[in-house]
Coordinates of all heavy atoms in Angstrom, one line a residue:
E189 N 130.2 113.2 71.8 CA 129.5 113.9 72.9 C 129.7 113.3 74.2 O 129.6 112.0 74.4 CB 128.0 113.9 72.5 CG 127.1 114.6 73.6 CD 127.2 116.1 73.5 OE1 127.3 116.6 72.3 OE2 127.1 116.7 74.5
Q190 N 130.0 114.1 75.2 CA 130.1 113.7 76.6 C 129.0 114.4 77.4 O 129.0 115.6 77.4 CB 131.5 113.9 77.2 CG 131.6 113.4 78.6 CD 133.0 113.3 79.2 OE1 133.9 113.8 78.5 NE2 133.2 112.7 80.3
L191 N 128.3 113.6 78.1 CA 127.2 114.2 78.9 C 127.7 114.6 80.3 O 128.6 113.9 80.8 CB 126.0 113.2 79.0 CG 125.5 112.8 77.6 CD1 124.6 111.6 77.7 CD2 124.9 113.9 76.9
V192 N 127.1 115.6 80.9 CA 127.5 116.1 82.2 C 126.3 116.0 83.2 O 125.3 116.7 82.9 CB 128.0 117.6 82.1 CG1 128.3 118.1 83.5 CG2 129.1 117.7 81.2
E193 N 126.5 115.2 84.2 CA 125.4 115.0 85.2 C 125.7 115.9 86.4 O 126.8 116.2 86.7 CB 125.4 113.6 85.7 CG 125.2 112.5 84.6 CD 126.5 112.0 84.1 OE1 127.6 112.5 84.3 OE2 126.4 111.0 83.3
S194 N 124.6 116.4 87.0 CA 124.7 117.2 88.2 C 123.4 117.1 89.1 O 122.4 116.5 88.6 CB 124.9 118.7 87.8 OG 123.8 119.2 87.1
G195 N 123.5 117.6 90.3 CA 122.3 117.7 91.1 C 122.3 116.7 92.3 O 121.3 116.7 93.1
G196 N 123.3 115.8 92.4 CA 123.3 114.8 93.4 C 123.6 115.5 94.8 O 123.9 116.7 94.9
G197 N 123.6 114.7 95.8 CA 123.9 115.2 97.1 C 123.5 114.2 98.2 O 123.1 113.0 97.9
L198 N 123.6 114.7 99.4 CA 123.2 113.9 100.6 C 121.7 114.3 101.0 O 121.5 115.5 101.2 CB 124.1 114.1 101.8 CG 123.8 113.5 103.1 CD1 123.7 112.0 103.0 CD2 124.7 114.0 104.2
V199 N 120.9 113.3 101.2 CA 119.5 113.6 101.5 C 119.0 112.5 102.5 O 119.5 111.4 102.4 CB 118.6 113.7 100.2 CG1 118.6 112.3 99.5 CG2 117.2 114.2 100.5
Q200 N 118.1 112.9 103.3 CA 117.5 112.0 104.3 C 116.5 111.1 103.6 O 115.9 111.5 102.6 CB 116.9 112.7 105.4 CG 117.9 113.5 106.3 CD 117.2 114.1 107.6 OE1 116.0 114.2 107.6 NE2 118.0 114.4 108.6
P201 N 116.2 109.9 104.1 CA 115.2 109.1 103.6 C 113.9 109.8 103.5 O 113.5 110.6 104.5 CB 115.1 107.9 104.6 CG 116.5 107.8 105.1 CD 117.0 109.2 105.2
G202 N 113.2 109.7 102.4 CA 111.9 110.4 102.2 C 112.1 111.7 101.5 O 111.1 112.3 101.1
G203 N 113.3 112.1 101.3 CA 113.6 113.4 100.7 C 113.6 113.3 99.2 O 113.3 112.3 98.6
S204 N 113.9 114.5 98.6 CA 113.8 114.6 97.1 C 115.1 115.2 96.6 O 115.8 116.0 97.2 CB 112.6 115.4 96.7 OG 111.4 114.8 97.1
L205 N 115.4 114.9 95.3 CA 116.5 115.5 94.6 C 116.1 115.5 93.1 O 115.3 114.7 92.7 CB 117.8 114.7 94.7 CG 118.6 114.8 96.0 CD1 119.8 113.8 95.9 CD2 119.2 116.2 96.2
R206 N 116.6 116.5 92.4 CA 116.4 116.5 90.9 C 117.8 116.5 90.3 O 118.6 117.5 90.5 CB 115.6 117.8 90.5 CG 115.3 117.7 89.0 CD 114.4 118.8 88.5 NE 115.1 120.0 88.2 CZ 114.7 120.9 87.3 NH1 113.5 120.7 86.6 NH2 115.4 121.9 87.0
L207 N 118.0 115.5 89.5 CA 119.3 115.4 88.7 C 119.1 116.0 87.3 O 118.0 116.0 86.8 CB 119.7 114.0 88.6 CG 119.8 113.1 89.9 CD1 120.3 111.7 89.5 CD2 120.6 113.8 90.9
S208 N 120.2 116.6 86.8 CA 120.2 117.1 85.5 C 121.3 116.4 84.6 O 122.4 116.1 85.2 CB 120.5 118.6 85.5 OG 119.4 119.3 86.2
C209 N 121.0 116.3 83.4 CA 122.0 115.8 82.4 C 122.1 116.7 81.2 O 121.1 116.9 80.5 CB 121.5 114.4 82.0 SG 122.4 113.7 80.5
R210 N 123.2 117.4 81.0 CA 123.3 118.4 80.0 C 124.2 117.9 78.9 O 125.2 117.3 79.1 CB 123.9 119.7 80.6 CG 123.9 120.8 79.6 CD 124.5 122.1 80.2 NE 124.1 122.3 81.6 CZ 125.0 122.5 82.5 NH1 126.3 122.4 82.2 NH2 124.7 122.7 83.8
A211 N 123.8 118.2 77.7 CA 124.6 117.9 76.5 C 125.0 119.2 75.8 O 124.3 120.3 76.0 CB 123.7 117.1 75.5
S212 N 126.0 119.2 75.0 CA 126.5 120.4 74.3 C 125.8 120.6 73.0 O 125.9 121.7 72.4 CB 128.0 120.3 74.1 OG 128.3 119.2 73.2
R213 N 125.0 119.7 72.6 CA 124.3 119.9 71.3 C 122.9 119.1 71.5 O 122.7 118.5 72.4 CB 125.1 119.3 70.2 CG 125.5 117.9 70.3 CD 126.4 117.4 69.2 NE 126.9 116.1 69.3 CZ 126.3 115.0 68.9 NH1 125.2 115.2 68.2 NH2 126.8 113.8 69.0
S214 N 122.1 119.3 70.5 CA 120.8 118.8 70.5 C 120.8 117.3 70.2 O 121.0 116.8 69.1 CB 119.9 119.5 69.5 OG 118.6 119.0 69.4
I215 N 120.6 116.5 71.3 CA 120.5 115.0 71.1 C 119.2 114.4 71.6 O 118.8 113.4 71.2 CB 121.7 114.3 71.8 CG1 121.7 114.6 73.3 CG2 123.1 114.8 71.2 CD1 122.8 113.8 74.1
F216 N 118.7 115.1 72.6 CA 117.5 114.5 73.3 C 116.3 114.4 72.4 O 115.4 113.6 72.7 CB 117.2 115.3 74.6 CG 118.3 115.3 75.6 CD1 119.0 116.4 75.9 CD2 118.8 114.1 76.2 CE1 120.1 116.4 76.8 CE2 119.8 114.1 77.1 CZ 120.5 115.3 77.4
A217 N 116.2 115.3 71.4 CA 115.0 115.2 70.5 C 115.1 114.1 69.6 O 114.1 113.7 69.0 CB 114.9 116.5 69.8
F218 N 116.3 113.4 69.5 CA 116.5 112.4 68.4 C 116.9 111.1 68.9 O 117.0 110.1 68.2 CB 117.6 112.9 67.4 CG 117.3 114.3 66.9 CD1 118.1 115.4 67.4 CD2 116.3 114.6 66.0 CE1 117.8 116.7 66.9 CE2 116.1 115.8 65.6 CZ 116.8 116.9 66.0
D219 N 117.2 111.0 70.2 CA 117.7 109.7 70.8 C 116.9 109.3 72.0 O 116.4 110.1 72.7 CB 119.2 110.0 71.2 CG 120.1 108.8 70.8 OD1 119.6 107.7 70.7 OD2 121.3 109.0 70.7
D220 N 116.9 108.0 72.1 CA 116.3 107.4 73.3 C 117.3 107.4 74.4 O 118.4 106.8 74.3 CB 115.8 106.0 73.1 CG 114.7 105.9 72.0 OD1 114.1 106.9 71.7 OD2 114.5 104.8 71.4
M221 N 117.0 108.0 75.6 CA 117.9 108.3 76.6 C 117.5 107.6 77.9 O 116.4 107.3 78.1 CB 118.1 109.8 76.9 CG 118.5 110.6 75.7 SD 120.2 110.2 75.1 CE 121.1 110.8 76.6
G222 N 118.5 107.4 78.8 CA 118.2 106.8 80.0 C 119.1 107.3 81.2 O 120.1 107.9 81.0
W223 N 118.5 107.2 82.4 CA 119.3 107.4 83.6 C 119.7 106.0 84.1 O 118.8 105.1 84.2 CB 118.4 108.2 84.6 CG 118.4 109.6 84.4 CD1 117.4 110.3 83.8 CD2 119.4 110.6 84.8 NE1 117.7 111.7 83.8 CE2 118.9 111.9 84.4 CE3 120.6 110.5 85.4 CZ2 119.7 113.0 84.6 CZ3 121.3 111.6 85.7 CH2 120.9 112.9 85.3
Y224 N 120.9 105.9 84.5 CA 121.5 104.7 85.1 C 122.1 105.0 86.5 O 122.4 106.1 86.8 CB 122.6 104.2 84.2 CG 122.2 104.0 82.7 CD1 122.1 105.0 81.8 CD2 122.0 102.7 82.3 CE1 121.8 104.8 80.5 CE2 121.7 102.4 80.9 CZ 121.5 103.5 80.1 OH 121.2 103.3 78.8
R225 N 122.2 103.9 87.2 CA 122.9 104.1 88.5 C 123.8 102.9 88.8 O 123.5 101.8 88.3 CB 121.9 104.4 89.6 CG 121.0 103.2 90.0 CD 120.0 103.6 91.0 NE 119.1 102.4 91.4 CZ 118.1 102.6 92.2 NH1 117.7 103.7 92.7 NH2 117.3 101.5 92.5
Q226 N 124.8 103.2 89.6 CA 125.7 102.1 90.0 C 126.1 102.3 91.5 O 126.7 103.3 91.8 CB 127.0 102.1 89.1 CG 127.9 100.9 89.4 CD 128.9 100.8 88.3 OE1 129.2 101.7 87.6 NE2 129.5 99.6 88.2
A227 N 125.7 101.3 92.3 CA 126.0 101.3 93.7 C 127.3 100.5 93.9 O 127.6 99.6 93.0 CB 124.9 100.7 94.5
P228 N 128.1 100.7 94.9 CA 129.3 100.0 95.1 C 129.1 98.5 95.1 O 128.2 98.0 95.8 CB 129.8 100.5 96.5 CG 129.2 101.8 96.7 CD 127.8 101.7 95.9

C-alpha cells in the first residue's frame, strides 16, 4: 500500500489547512496511523 497525501499549500501565519491521506483499501480501521513532517 502506498498512501497519497494532499491539501498542502502556502498560508499566512495564523491560517488553517486541512491535509488528507488517502489509501486504496481499508487500513485505517485496523492500523495505528500517524502524520509526520520533515523540514529542510
Side-chain angles (χ1 to χ4, degrees):
E189 180 74 35
Q190 181 167 11
L191 303 169
V192 179
E193 303 92 349
S194 63
L198 172 63
V199 63
Q200 292 186 342
S204 298
L205 284 173
R206 189 174 84 152
L207 307 183
S208 297
C209 169
R210 190 181 319 125
S212 63
R213 57 188 175 90
S214 179
I215 61 171
F216 299 114
F218 309 107
D219 221 335
D220 297 341
M221 301 293 298
W223 279 99
Y224 302 79
R225 68 185 180 188
Q226 187 168 19

